[in-house]
Amino acid sequence: MDTPDESDPWSISKPALYRELQRSQQNDETIVLATIVNVEGSAYRRPGAKMLISADNESLGAVTAGCLEEPVVDLASTVREEERPQVETFDLMDDEWGLGLGCNGIIDILLEPVDASIEPVLAALHDRRPVTVVTAVRSDNPAVSIGARTVISTNGDVSNSHDRSQLPKSVVDAVKTTAETIQNSGKATICDISTSGGDVQVFIDSIEPSPRLLLFGNQNDVHPVSRFGRQVGFEVIVASARGSRSSSSDFPCAHEVYATHPTDIHELTDERTYVVLMSHNLLDDQLALESLQFAPDVPYIGLMGPQERFEQICDKLAKDGTAFTADQLERVSTPVGLDLGGGEPMQIALSIVSEVLAIHNERTGGRLKDKKGPIHDRVSIGTDGS
Amino acid sequence: MDTPDESDPWSISKPALYRELQRSQQNDETIVLATIVNVEGSAYRRPGAKMLISADNESLGAVTAGCLEEPVVDLASTVREEERPQVETFDLMDDEWGLGLGCNGIIDILLEPVDASIEPVLAALHDRRPVTVVTAVRSDNPAVSIGARTVISTNGDVSNSHDRSQLPKSVVDAVKTTAETIQNSGKATICDISTSGGDVQVFIDSIEPSPRLLLFGNQNDVHPVSRFGRQVGFEVIVASARGSRSSSSDFPCAHEVYATHPTDIHELTDERTYVVLMSHNLLDDQLALESLQFAPDVPYIGLMGPQERFEQICDKLAKDGTAFTADQLERVSTPVGLDLGGGEPMQIALSIVSEVLAIHNERTGGRLKDKKGPIHDRVSIGTDGS
């Protein structure tokens, strides 16, 4: 079985893109990072979407459904040669780019040679801490160049890189509240700031660690769930009970595989860990559920099987004097998954991963056509940073 | 980019399993087909689930989450040697199979050497016709052997194979109403029939042609949608406008690729075709939508983009004197997809394919935990065939 996430470079997941960034930094490769910093009208992807362009013009990741990838790769050569960040506006309504797409969006893309200013971001992701990157994308102030950057950590510390000019303190102070507001959301926005030397526009990019999908089980149905989970951007951990199948080669789509006892499963979690109990063994699932009481931050526990199976477990626990609180019950999802009606292994896996993704994004999974309002949450912050 | 559906033999899709059956028949290979014919209690898979076991004991497909696959492969050797269909009962509550699983289900599995009795089924699938297979799975009547089989076509015609003893006319007549009821549903059930020679139990398996996923577009975002669509069991067709990218190698996850004009898109559909318009070109999507008016049986038309984009198309059509009826509007899904909140290409694709699967199964995609009643529709027919 192949590991799936490198099979289509264009649709690579965000964690896989950061892994590639990490790798290229370690190898001192000259690559260019393209990031959508603003969208007017409609577009396939939102601000914060990223694409990497290698020195030999191979690209990884997506900034549009495909139409801008070539022009962006072309521009990357210029950025690489000039060693200077640059912002380009693509108006998909006109024919400036020779595309004649009939699309409605205007998209601003920041292209920058990857340098040491990425390092606090990679370090934070490694430690599973969120981080906010503030980058100048327009400037009438001669003292602030495009690409000037400050990285803000959770504790409010700022890191500046000697490879990149930094933002004036007044600019950082002006966006600090906005940066704090979107920190840990994975969202991005732009802010216009008036400085004594001229107007500056900054792009604020909240980067959060990957969500984790922890699968407790060691049967074949773990494979399709781990495959889909990895493909859509979860860091997949398989916790295999009983030690029977617990090597990485047993679960090639998992990022990590542990042989564990169900009573210890909470040790593998954090507040970004979505758990699916799929041991197919009533006692093991019960022990794992009990263990997860010690992980109150875990936002989701999917339990494979019908509702009655969970009730059976609850009854047994109640007899032992253990009762779940309303909050603990609320995060248990059983039967696991969205109601897609499919009974094949891949369809069951699709239903599970769709539910986990929806919960991660605070949705409930119904049809978008039945929903009011925009598809994506907009960052509702004044562009002056207020 | 690899084609994905053969990457994990256990979780292979139903169409891929039938393609393998077709291939092995053409090559005169001796394989055994295992089919779940009855489930009491809870189980990972429902009646009708299938697994193939090759002469060298390689298996394809799934009958459980993994626990019974080995015992079934072992039994297949006996069935192959004895050249005789056989039904085995696996009680996952006891330890008879040395599994000690703590599962709740009792599963009856029919194992049979694949012979010419499969041919009317393969022929029907090839012609995209549903078909119902009726097979004796228990018999107290010496004249009816396990595996005796009759295949019923949509027009009520029965095909019998010289390789397999056929069911007595009285048995076929007794289940004809049931067979008609579930025909075209993809569901399966068992019926007990009293005959003058003794009681007979038959398994009625409704086999329907694969649903089709027709993607209109030629940009990169077609790839992840076709990948997920194929993985969960759709026959994927890419209709690439403008002829720019329209070879099979451009879309390796598609089963078929056509270069087409948007005005002709309805020619590629039937009543099992789910269409997603993702050309990213307003005029092309509009022409395709107009074309699909000539395909009133198409159950679903997903349209990429915000609601306003569809309204814009409707306004333009209204000015040209074309208005959609309420029924035509009802099948248009825009924004396309389930509300999973993800903005990455694979997440958007997951959302689209999840919606298509839900609609195919007449669901709306909310969470199963919020739903009342069983996860799977039960076939609500008396076991006496009434």
Side-chain angles (χ1 to χ4, degrees):
Chain A
M1 205 174 351
D2 59 318
T3 55
D5 58 2
E6 282 78 32
S7 53
D8 175 15
W10 176 85
S11 59
I12 195 167
S13 70
K14 210 192 291 179
L17 187 136
Y18 280 111
R19 275 194 294 276
E20 177 59 20
L21 256 178
Q22 173 88 55
R23 195 199 58 73
S24 64
Q25 271 299 92
Q26 281 166 346
N27 296 348
D28 255 338
E29 290 171 16
T30 316
I31 57 167
V32 172
L33 174 62
T35 306
I36 297 183
V37 295
N38 200 23
V39 169
E40 279 175 50
S42 68
Y44 178 70
R45 300 215 58 191
R46 307 298 312 155
K50 288 176 178 60
M51 178 173 144
L52 292 178
I53 304 100
S54 72
D56 50 359
N57 287 335
E58 295 290 326
S59 67
L60 202 68
V63 286
T64 61
C67 57
L68 285 190
E69 271 64 357
E70 263 187 55
V72 169
V73 168
D74 289 346
L75 271 175
S77 303
T78 315
V79 169
R80 197 180 299 110
E81 277 161 31
E82 296 180 0
E83 295 182 332
R84 200 171 49 82
Q86 171 180 337
V87 174
E88 189 67 50
T89 298
F90 295 87
D91 184 345
L92 302 184
M93 287 187 281
D94 72 17
D95 260 350
E96 191 192 344
W97 290 96
L99 300 162
L101 288 169
C103 275
N104 284 327
I106 302 174
I107 302 176
D108 291 343
I109 296 181
L110 166 69
L111 289 107
E112 53 179 326
V114 174
D115 57 31
S117 68
I118 194 77
E119 276 162 19
V121 177
L122 297 175
L125 289 180
H126 180 264
D127 300 340
R128 291 185 68 71
R129 283 183 287 111
V131 80
T132 308
V133 182
V134 187
T135 310
V137 291
R138 300 205 190 286
S139 174
D140 296 332
N141 182 338
V144 181
S145 53
I146 303 289
R149 168 166 293 168
T150 293
V151 178
I152 307 176
S153 297
T154 17
N155 58 8
D157 282 358
V158 300
S159 324
N160 293 303
S161 157
H162 54 87
D163 277 16
R164 188 72 71 99
S165 70
Q166 61 191 72
L167 288 165
K169 187 170 179 306
S170 64
V171 171
V172 176
D173 286 345
V175 300
K176 217 153 186 177
T177 312
T178 305
E180 278 166 15
T181 309
I182 68 168
Q183 186 154 64
N184 215 352
S185 73
K187 294 195 169 62
T189 190
I190 50 165
C191 284
D192 293 303
I193 298 141
S194 298
T195 70
S196 52
D199 290 347
V200 173
Q201 187 178 65
V202 295
F203 173 63
I204 309 180
D205 196 8
S206 156
I207 295 168
E208 52 175 359
S210 320
R212 272 186 179 151
L213 179 61
L214 171 59
L215 306 177
F216 173 62
N218 60 21
Q219 292 194 37
N220 288 344
D221 59 339
V222 168
H223 297 309
V225 181
S226 60
R227 173 177 294 267
F228 282 146
R230 182 179 185 130
Q231 285 177 324
V232 301
F234 287 88
E235 188 183 310
V236 177
I237 300 175
V238 171
S240 174
R242 306 275 155 92
S244 60
R245 294 206 291 178
S246 57
S247 80
S248 292
S249 59
D250 291 325
F251 299 99
C253 291
H255 295 96
E256 290 171 57
V257 180
Y258 295 98
T260 186
H261 196 274
T263 53
D264 300 329
I265 192 121
H266 65 282
E267 292 171 7
L268 298 172
T269 68
D270 65 10
E271 74 281 7
R272 283 184 177 80
T273 305
Y274 300 78
V275 184
V276 181
L277 304 179
M278 47 196 299
S279 76
H280 295 273
N281 180 302
L282 198 69
L283 181 61
D284 281 351
D285 280 352
Q286 176 192 322
L287 292 171
L289 261 176
E290 281 186 279
S291 161
L292 289 166
Q293 288 198 66
F294 301 105
D297 290 341
V298 163
Y300 171 95
I301 305 167
L303 175 66
M304 196 83 137
Q307 176 72 33
E308 301 81 56
R309 192 167 176 271
F310 180 52
E311 284 162 11
Q312 211 177 332
I313 291 177
C314 288
D315 288 349
K316 282 177 77 177
L317 288 174
K319 274 184 199 148
D320 299 345
T322 309
F324 288 116
T325 65
D327 277 359
Q328 284 169 339
L329 285 174
E330 184 50 37
R331 64 177 179 161
V332 177
S333 186
T334 190
V336 66
L338 293 188
D339 187 19
L340 309 181
E344 302 203 25
M346 293 301 265
Q347 296 170 346
I348 293 168
L350 188 83
S351 147
I352 294 172
V353 172
S354 290
E355 182 179 47
V356 174
L357 184 63
I359 297 307
H360 174 60
N361 291 315
E362 297 173 5
R363 310 298 171 98
T364 52
R367 299 179 69 183
L368 278 170
K369 74 173 278 189
D370 297 332
K371 196 195 174 197
K372 302 285 166 242
I375 309 174
H376 304 284
D377 290 334
R378 300 298 200 265
V379 178
S380 53
I381 298 163
T383 50
D384 59 348
S386 63
Chain B
M1 204 172 356
D2 59 317
T3 54
D5 58 2
E6 283 79 31
S7 54
D8 174 15
W10 176 83
S11 59
I12 195 167
S13 70
K14 210 192 293 180
L17 186 137
Y18 280 112
R19 275 195 295 276
E20 178 58 22
L21 255 177
Q22 173 88 56
R23 196 200 57 73
S24 64
Q25 272 299 92
Q26 280 166 347
N27 296 349
D28 254 339
E29 290 171 19
T30 316
I31 57 168
V32 172
L33 174 62
T35 305
I36 297 183
V37 296
N38 199 25
V39 170
E40 277 175 51
S42 69
Y44 178 70
R45 301 214 59 189
R46 306 298 312 155
K50 289 176 178 59
M51 180 174 143
L52 291 178
I53 304 101
S54 72
D56 49 0
N57 287 335
E58 295 291 324
S59 67
L60 202 68
V63 286
T64 61
C67 58
L68 285 191
E69 271 65 357
E70 264 187 54
V72 169
V73 168
D74 289 346
L75 271 175
S77 303
T78 315
V79 169
R80 197 180 300 111
E81 277 161 33
E82 298 180 357
E83 295 182 332
R84 199 171 50 81
Q86 171 180 337
V87 174
E88 189 67 50
T89 298
F90 295 86
D91 184 345
L92 302 184
M93 289 188 277
D94 71 19
D95 260 349
E96 190 193 347
W97 290 96
L99 300 162
L101 287 169
C103 275
N104 284 328
I106 302 174
I107 302 176
D108 291 343
I109 297 181
L110 165 69
L111 289 107
E112 52 181 327
V114 174
D115 57 31
S117 66
I118 195 77
E119 276 161 19
V121 177
L122 297 175
L125 290 180
H126 180 267
D127 301 341
R128 291 186 67 72
R129 284 182 288 110
V131 80
T132 307
V133 182
V134 187
T135 310
V137 290
R138 302 206 188 283
S139 175
D140 296 331
N141 182 337
V144 181
S145 53
I146 302 290
R149 168 165 291 169
T150 293
V151 178
I152 308 176
S153 298
T154 18
N155 58 9
D157 281 358
V158 301
S159 324
N160 294 302
S161 156
H162 55 84
D163 277 16
R164 188 75 68 102
S165 71
Q166 61 191 71
L167 289 166
K169 188 171 179 302
S170 65
V171 171
V172 176
D173 285 346
V175 300
K176 215 152 189 179
T177 312
T178 306
E180 278 166 16
T181 309
I182 68 166
Q183 187 154 63
N184 216 352
S185 73
K187 295 195 171 61
T189 190
I190 49 164
C191 284
D192 292 303
I193 297 140
S194 298
T195 71
S196 52
D199 290 348
V200 173
Q201 188 178 63
V202 294
F203 174 62
I204 309 181
D205 196 7
S206 155
I207 295 168
E208 52 175 357
S210 320
R212 271 186 180 151
L213 179 61
L214 171 60
L215 307 177
F216 173 61
N218 59 21
Q219 290 194 38
N220 289 343
D221 59 337
V222 168
H223 296 309
V225 181
S226 60
R227 174 177 294 267
F228 282 146
R230 183 180 184 129
Q231 285 177 324
V232 301
F234 287 89
E235 188 182 310
V236 178
I237 300 175
V238 172
S240 174
R242 305 275 156 93
S244 60
R245 295 206 289 178
S246 57
S247 80
S248 292
S249 59
D250 292 325
F251 300 99
C253 291
H255 294 95
E256 291 171 55
V257 180
Y258 295 98
T260 186
H261 197 274
T263 53
D264 302 329
I265 192 121
H266 66 280
E267 292 171 6
L268 298 171
T269 67
D270 64 11
E271 75 280 7
R272 283 185 177 79
T273 306
Y274 299 79
V275 183
V276 182
L277 304 179
M278 47 196 301
S279 77
H280 296 273
N281 180 302
L282 198 68
L283 182 60
D284 281 352
D285 280 352
Q286 177 192 321
L287 292 171
L289 262 175
E290 282 185 278
S291 160
L292 289 167
Q293 290 197 66
F294 301 104
D297 289 341
V298 164
Y300 171 95
I301 305 168
L303 176 65
M304 194 82 137
Q307 175 73 32
E308 301 80 56
R309 191 167 177 273
F310 179 52
E311 284 162 12
Q312 212 178 330
I313 291 176
C314 288
D315 288 349
K316 282 176 77 176
L317 288 175
K319 274 182 199 149
D320 299 346
T322 310
F324 288 117
T325 65
D327 276 359
Q328 284 169 340
L329 285 174
E330 184 51 36
R331 65 179 179 160
V332 176
S333 186
T334 189
V336 65
L338 294 188
D339 187 18
L340 309 181
E344 302 203 26
M346 293 300 266
Q347 296 169 346
I348 293 169
L350 188 82
S351 146
I352 295 172
V353 173
S354 291
E355 183 180 46
V356 174
L357 184 63
I359 297 306
H360 174 59
N361 290 315
E362 296 174 7
R363 310 298 171 98
T364 53
R367 299 180 70 184
L368 278 170
K369 75 174 277 189
D370 297 332
K371 195 193 174 197
K372 302 283 167 246
I375 310 174
H376 305 283
D377 290 334
R378 300 298 201 266
V379 178
S380 51
I381 297 163
T383 50
D384 59 347
S386 66

